């Protein structure tokens, strides 16, 4: 399919990947009713294709052997009525993610990408949620809220957020003594203070590395030891890398140096 389109640079391959990904994502989300209807189990083996122009198509596989491009999963329509719709869509999403990677690295191999090019391409791809993440709802982002006890408890269960969402619990180095006294009952069960008050306090969280305050569109990560917060870029942690961290320790708590590199005090322990 669309065999005449041949991206040759890392940036072009990434644009190709994003376009195909957008089309496939739309098929499995906003256009899901149309997609479901086209995947008739009574028809022959069908495939889901995504195109660089963000369109999608359900069609028979390419006739030429071998095909010009890697082919997506064959026969997705046969399983449609034998599974729960959600499970079926998740299965198609996983196969679509695998197909996107195979197409991207097919171009990389064809046009001689070296080790650094392949690494850079994968890094760019890895910054985006997978189609499976989108379909299953894992890629939804949240902003800090003041659900005190529930978010405080999430620290012990989740250790850190699995996507680009900062945890709702915040250190409070800037709070006045009166405010600390007001929040004292909320700090009891696990010893960790949580944010109180309205949304205006969200801007009072500062990065333990650079000292800048919280930004709504930035990825942050909280240390599970000292409970300080850091920009992901300041401690070289991306949302994708965070997926595999069970307990995050900041550079200071890992013993790389004697302090956190910040002039902000850590939250007083209770």
């Amino acid at each position: 399919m669309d065999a005449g389109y041949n991206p040759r640079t890392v940036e072009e391959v990434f644009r190709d990947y994003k376009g195909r990904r957008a089309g496939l994502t739309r098929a499995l989300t906003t256009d899901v009713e149309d997609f479901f209807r086209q995947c008739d189990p009574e028809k022959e083996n069908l495939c889901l294709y995504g195109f660089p122009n963000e369109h999608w198509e359900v069609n028979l596989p390419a006739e030429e052997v071998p095909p010009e491009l890697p082919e997506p999963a064959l026969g997705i329509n046969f399983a449609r009525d034998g599974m729960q719709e959600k499970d079926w869509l998740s299965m198609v999403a996983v196969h679509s993610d695998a197909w996107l990677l195979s197409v991207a690295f097919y171009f990389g191999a064809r046009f001689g990408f070296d080790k650094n090019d392949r690494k850079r391409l994968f890094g760019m791809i890895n910054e985006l949620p997978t189609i499976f993440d989108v379909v299953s709802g894992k890629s939804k982002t949240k902003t800090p809220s003041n659900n005190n006890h529930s978010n405080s408890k999430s620290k012990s269960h989740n250790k850190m957020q699995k996507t680009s969402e900062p945890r709702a619990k915040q250190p409070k180095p800037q709070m006045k003594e009166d405010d600390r006294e007001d929040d004292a009952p909320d700090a009891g069960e696990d010893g960790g203070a949580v944010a109180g008050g309205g949304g205006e306090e969200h801007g009072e969280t500062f990065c333990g590395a650079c000292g800048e305050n919280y930004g709504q569109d930035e990825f942050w990560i909280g240390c599970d030891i000292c409970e300080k917060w850091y920009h992901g870029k300041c401690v070289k942690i991306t949302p994708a890398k965070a997926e595999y961290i069970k307990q995050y320790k900041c550079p200071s708590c890992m013993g790389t140096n004697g302090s956190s590199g910040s002039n902000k005090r850590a939250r007083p322990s209770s």
Side-chain angles (χ1 to χ4, degrees), residues 2-109:
D2 65 334
Y5 181 73
N6 291 319
R8 295 174 179 267
T9 67
V10 172
E11 288 73 20
E12 288 176 342
V13 172
F14 182 59
R15 282 197 298 272
D16 178 271
Y17 173 91
K18 286 203 301 182
R20 295 177 191 273
R21 174 184 171 278
L24 294 172
T25 301
R26 195 171 69 193
L28 298 175
T29 54
T30 57
D31 295 349
V32 68
E33 292 184 5
D34 188 23
F35 170 67
F36 187 91
R37 185 174 59 255
Q38 291 189 37
C39 290
D40 185 350
E42 298 299 322
K43 295 183 179 179
E44 297 182 36
N45 291 313
L46 295 176
C47 301
L48 173 61
Y49 293 92
F51 300 105
N53 61 2
E54 302 186 6
H55 291 175
W56 61 273
E57 178 183 71
V58 173
N59 208 337
L60 295 171
E63 294 182 1
E64 64 268 22
V65 179
E68 178 66 20
L69 293 177
E71 284 289 299
L74 183 67
I76 57 172
N77 52 315
F78 294 148
R80 191 195 72 177
D81 294 342
M83 305 172 65
Q84 293 289 331
E85 182 177 346
K86 181 179 178 181
D87 294 336
W88 176 66
L89 292 173
S90 294
M91 181 198 70
V92 176
V94 169
H95 283 292
S96 297
D97 284 321
W99 178 66
L100 287 174
L101 285 173
S102 69
V103 171
F105 282 88
Y106 163 82
F107 286 129

Side-chain angles (χ1 to χ4, degrees), residues 16-268:
D16 178 271
Y17 173 91
K18 286 203 301 182
R20 295 177 191 273
R21 174 184 171 278
L24 294 172
T25 301
R26 195 171 69 193
L28 298 175
T29 54
T30 57
D31 295 349
V32 68
E33 292 184 5
D34 188 23
F35 170 67
F36 187 91
R37 185 174 59 255
Q38 291 189 37
C39 290
D40 185 350
E42 298 299 322
K43 295 183 179 179
E44 297 182 36
N45 291 313
L46 295 176
C47 301
L48 173 61
Y49 293 92
F51 300 105
N53 61 2
E54 302 186 6
H55 291 175
W56 61 273
E57 178 183 71
V58 173
N59 208 337
L60 295 171
E63 294 182 1
E64 64 268 22
V65 179
E68 178 66 20
L69 293 177
E71 284 289 299
L74 183 67
I76 57 172
N77 52 315
F78 294 148
R80 191 195 72 177
D81 294 342
M83 305 172 65
Q84 293 289 331
E85 182 177 346
K86 181 179 178 181
D87 294 336
W88 176 66
L89 292 173
S90 294
M91 181 198 70
V92 176
V94 169
H95 283 292
S96 297
D97 284 321
W99 178 66
L100 287 174
L101 285 173
S102 69
V103 171
F105 282 88
Y106 163 82
F107 286 129
R110 179 173 179 178
F111 297 113
F113 286 8
D114 60 19
K115 177 180 179 181
N116 290 332
D117 288 337
R118 293 192 301 272
K119 182 177 181 180
R120 188 156 64 94
L121 175 60
F122 183 77
M124 295 165 75
I125 290 173
N126 211 31
E127 289 296 316
L128 297 175
T130 64
I131 298 176
F132 174 76
D133 286 341
V134 176
V135 171
S136 63
K138 291 185 176 182
S139 67
K140 292 179 181 178
T141 58
K142 299 177 183 177
T143 55
S145 64
N146 48 341
N147 295 330
N148 293 348
H149 288 291
S150 62
N151 285 309
S152 179
K153 289 293 184 182
S154 70
K155 176 192 169 188
S156 60
H157 293 296
N158 298 327
K159 304 302 180 184
M160 63 161 301
Q161 293 299 329
K162 297 297 184 180
T163 62
S164 58
E165 52 192 69
R167 290 177 302 181
K169 183 165 62 59
Q170 300 176 359
K172 298 194 276 186
Q174 296 78 24
M175 290 184 66
K176 298 178 182 179
E177 292 297 327
D178 292 342
D179 294 328
R180 272 196 207 103
E181 291 175 5
D182 292 341
D183 284 350
D186 294 326
E189 294 185 72
D190 62 6
V194 294
E200 66 275 9
E201 287 190 12
H202 294 166
E204 295 301 312
T205 300
F206 291 83
C207 176
C210 70
E212 295 292 330
N213 64 349
Y214 170 78
Q216 289 285 343
D217 297 328
E218 296 177 304
F219 171 69
W220 279 56
I221 184 170
C223 177
D224 286 293
I225 306 302
C226 68
E227 298 190 350
K228 290 184 180 179
W229 288 86
Y230 297 85
H231 290 106
K233 62 185 179 183
C234 291
V235 290
K236 298 182 179 178
I237 299 292
T238 64
K241 188 180 295 185
E243 285 278 340
Y244 302 97
I245 301 176
K246 293 182 179 179
Q247 183 184 60
Y248 176 69
K249 295 182 182 179
C250 68
S252 177
C253 291
M254 290 180 68
T256 54
N257 51 51
S259 68
S260 65
S262 171
N263 59 357
K264 307 293 180 185
R265 292 186 298 111
R267 178 189 57 76

